[in-house]
Amino acid sequence: MRTLCASTLIGEFFVIGFAGLVAMQTSELSTVTIWTVSGIAMLLSLLLCGMLTRPGGVQLGWALQAALIASGFVVPTMFFLGAVFAALWWASVHFGRKIDAAKARWSEQSGAADAPAGEPA
């Protein structure tokens, strides 16, 4: 799960940065405000890559997805891109957990097959 989710978050890092550039040109918000908010979101996306296996990491990822969608009020295209990344986040979490479970089963089965006869696995 970690690899899929981290890949999504790295993609979001770049999209947030590009959205900040667009917001500078199209929004009445000050440049300082835009880059403070964008910078915090970009930093959060990077920090979340390392926090995915910790309690609350995935939930913080969902909060970032909601913020990305809400950024559509400043840059309207972000409504669409935020929804796309929320779908990617869901897929990363959902299928990542399935892959992790399959890896655990495979590891357990191969460990049992490697054990010598007469010894418990």
Side-chain angles (χ1 to χ4, degrees):
M1 178 181 78
R2 187 174 184 271
T3 303
L4 290 174
C5 290
S7 299
T8 301
L9 290 168
I10 295 299
E12 286 181 14
F13 172 85
F14 290 106
V15 167
I16 293 167
F18 291 132
L21 291 171
V22 171
M24 272 182 27
Q25 301 299 316
T26 61
S27 174
E28 291 92 29
L29 296 172
S30 72
T31 303
V32 172
T33 302
I34 290 169
W35 286 112
T36 299
V37 172
S38 296
I40 290 170
M42 291 170 76
L43 181 63
L44 180 60
S45 70
L46 288 180
L47 291 175
L48 277 172
C49 289
M51 294 176 53
L52 289 170
T53 57
R54 297 183 181 195
V58 173
Q59 288 75 17
L60 282 173
W62 280 114
L64 181 63
Q65 305 315 309
L68 204 61
I69 293 170
S71 69
F73 290 109
V74 178
V75 178
T77 306
M78 292 305 292
F79 283 124
F80 173 72
L81 287 175
V84 167
F85 273 99
L88 285 171
W89 182 254
W90 175 85
S92 297
V93 171
H94 178 74
F95 292 113
R97 286 182 176 157
K98 284 187 171 195
I99 290 169
D100 289 348
K103 282 182 180 179
R105 279 193 311 274
W106 181 80
S107 177
E108 185 179 294
Q109 289 172 353
S110 68
D114 292 341
E119 290 186 23

